[in-house]
Amino acid sequence: MDDSAALDSAAAPSTPVDRNDGARNHALLRLLDCAGPAAARRNLLTQASPENALAAGPSLWRAVGLQARQVAQLQMPPADAVGRSMDWLAAPDHHLIGWDDPDYPPLLRHAQNPPLALFVAGDPALLWLPAVAIVGSRSPTPGGADNAREFARVLAGQGLMIASGMAAGVDTAVHESTLGAGGDTVAVLGTGPDVPYPRANTALHARIATNGAVVSEHLPGTGVRREHFPSRNRILAGLCLGTLVIEAAYRSGALITARLSAECGREVMAVPGSIHNPLARGCHRLIRDGACLIESPSDVADLLAPAISAQASHLRERLAAPSSGESPRSRDTQLPLDPSPPPASRRESAHPAPPSQNDGDHHILWQALGHDPTDMDQLVQRTGLTPARLSSMLLPLELEGRVVAQHGRFHRHR
C-alpha cells in the first residue's frame, strides 16, 4: 500500500472518540512519548487515528515530517512511561484528550504550538468554559495576595472559569479563593498531572482534581524540569480569553504568560501598584506596552464580554451535543449563552421576555428573580440551585441586559 492509500485508509473518524479505548490511548501515548517537535505529529493525527498512525510505519512517518530520531523511537518497544501512563488513565476521572479528539479545547487548538494531547485529572468540560488566567508573583505582598483572592472570587462568582499555574504565591491564592467561592478552576502544570509542584500544594492539587481540573501535556510521573514551565505558560494562555497579571517583578514568568496571551490574540490585563513596589514594575511594563490597566473585577468582565460573545456559539454546540459522552459538567451546568446586547426595544421593555431556552433551571431562575434586588443566598433558597450554577447563568443574562447586578444583588431589567 502506498502512502496516499495508507492515509486514506487511516483517516481519522468524525465519530466521537472513546477515551476508554485502550488501543487508542496506548497508541497516542507512544506518539506523545516520541520526543521532538509536535507539528508533524499533529499533522499525522489530523489525517489518521492514533492506532492507524502508529501502525502506518516509517514510510508514512517520514512523509508527514517526523525526524529520524522520532521514527527510530517509534520502532522501539514502548517505554516504561507508557505503561505507567496507562495505569494512571485507568483511574476514575482521568482523561487523555488528543489532537484527534473533537473535545480538544477550541481556543487552545487555534493557539500557537498547541500540545499534541492533554492529560486531565477532573472535569475536562471545564476547558470549554469562558476563562481568564490570573497569574503573578510567587512571593506577593499581602496586598497583592488580597487582590488575587478578590479578583478570583468575584470573577468566579460571575461565571468565569479561573485558570492559573498552581505555583506558590498568587497562583495558590487564586485557586484557593475560587474553590472557596464554589467556582470553577483549572490548574495547568509544568509537571505530570500526578506531580504536584510545589510539594506544599499537594492538598490543593487534590482539591482541584476533585472540584475542578488539573491539566498537563506531560506524561504522568514527569518531574520538575525548568524548561517545562515557560512551555506550560503557552497552554495557560491558549485556554483563556485573557490573562490578568496581579503582581510581577520586571523579569517574571507571569510576563511570559502575558506575552504568549498577546501572541494568541487574547486580552492582556495588569493591576498597577506603587512605584516603590518592585513587584509592580512588571505590571507597569505591561501597561506601558499596551496592556489594559485594571482596577476592579468589573473592568475584566467588561473587557472580556466581546470575547465571551464570540465563544458562545462553540459553547452552545458543545452543550447540545457532547462529542465523546457526557461528563458531569455537561450534565449539570448550562454553558453561557451568546451575551450580545439585545435590541434596544427589548432592553427597554418593562416586561423582558424570559431566556429563550428549554433548560428548566433557567426557567426556575427567571421565576425566582423579581424587580426588587435579590442576593445570592435568597436565590439559592428560592431555586435550590448551587451558587456556582446560578452564577454561570446570571453572567450571560447580565451581559444580555436582561438582569441587572448591583452590589451583589440581582433583579430583572426594568
Side-chain angles (χ1 to χ4, degrees), residues 29-38 41 66-74 116 219 225:
L29 289 168
R30 290 289 310 277
L31 292 170
L32 279 172
D33 192 43
C34 175
R41 287 174 288 166
L66 264 65
Q67 297 176 341
R69 60 191 179 93
Q70 293 177 304
V71 171
Q73 187 169 353
L74 288 175
L116 190 65
L219 271 65
R225 300 178 189 173

Side-chain angles (χ1 to χ4, degrees), residues 167-186:
V170 165
D171 291 15
T172 295
V174 162
H175 290 303
E176 289 179 340
S177 182
T178 304
L179 290 170
D184 296 314
T185 192
V186 165

Side-chain angles (χ1 to χ4, degrees), residues 44-286:
L44 184 58
L45 287 179
T46 298
Q47 304 175 68
S49 67
E51 307 95 304
N52 289 333
L54 187 64
S59 179
L60 180 58
W61 301 339
R62 284 190 286 265
V64 298
L66 264 65
Q67 297 176 341
R69 60 191 179 93
Q70 293 177 304
V71 171
Q73 187 169 353
L74 288 175
Q75 292 178 291
M76 297 172 63
D80 291 342
V82 172
R84 290 195 299 269
S85 298
M86 288 293 290
D87 292 340
W88 184 86
L89 287 170
D93 295 323
H94 286 184
H95 308 270
L96 178 58
I97 304 176
W99 183 252
D100 63 311
D101 196 324
D103 286 348
Y104 192 97
L107 282 180
L108 185 60
R109 189 181 291 277
H110 294 97
Q112 293 190 12
N113 190 27
L116 190 65
L118 295 171
F119 294 93
V120 181
D123 187 355
L126 292 183
L127 307 184
W128 281 68
L129 291 178
V132 59
I134 305 180
V135 297
S137 172
R138 285 178 168 81
S139 302
T141 65
D146 286 345
N147 284 338
R149 285 187 283 266
E150 179 67 5
F151 273 87
R153 181 187 66 80
V154 174
L155 292 173
Q158 292 178 339
L160 283 168
M161 189 274 282
I162 309 300
S164 198
M166 215 184 78
V170 165
D171 291 15
T172 295
V174 162
H175 290 303
E176 289 179 340
S177 182
T178 304
L179 290 170
D184 296 314
T185 192
V186 165
V188 183
L189 306 187
T191 56
D194 58 336
V195 180
Y197 182 79
R199 289 293 182 183
N201 275 347
T202 297
L204 177 60
H205 177 279
R207 288 180 64 201
I208 297 173
T210 300
N211 299 291
V214 173
V215 177
S216 174
E217 67 177 320
H218 302 294
L219 271 65
T222 302
V224 179
R225 300 178 189 173
R226 182 182 297 272
E227 66 272 16
H228 284 175
F229 289 93
S231 63
R232 175 273 306 271
N233 293 343
R234 84 188 194 286
I235 300 175
L236 182 57
L239 283 171
C240 298
L241 297 173
T243 294
L244 172 65
V245 182
I246 298 289
E247 276 188 338
Y250 200 75
R251 296 182 182 276
S252 167
L255 301 190
I256 297 175
T257 306
R259 174 178 59 79
L260 293 168
S261 186
E263 291 176 356
C264 291
R266 314 291 161 75
E267 296 288 353
V268 177
M269 302 160 282
V271 176
S274 167
I275 60 172
H276 304 293
N277 178 8
L279 293 180
R281 291 174 186 167
C283 293
H284 294 168
R285 172 184 173 185
L286 289 173

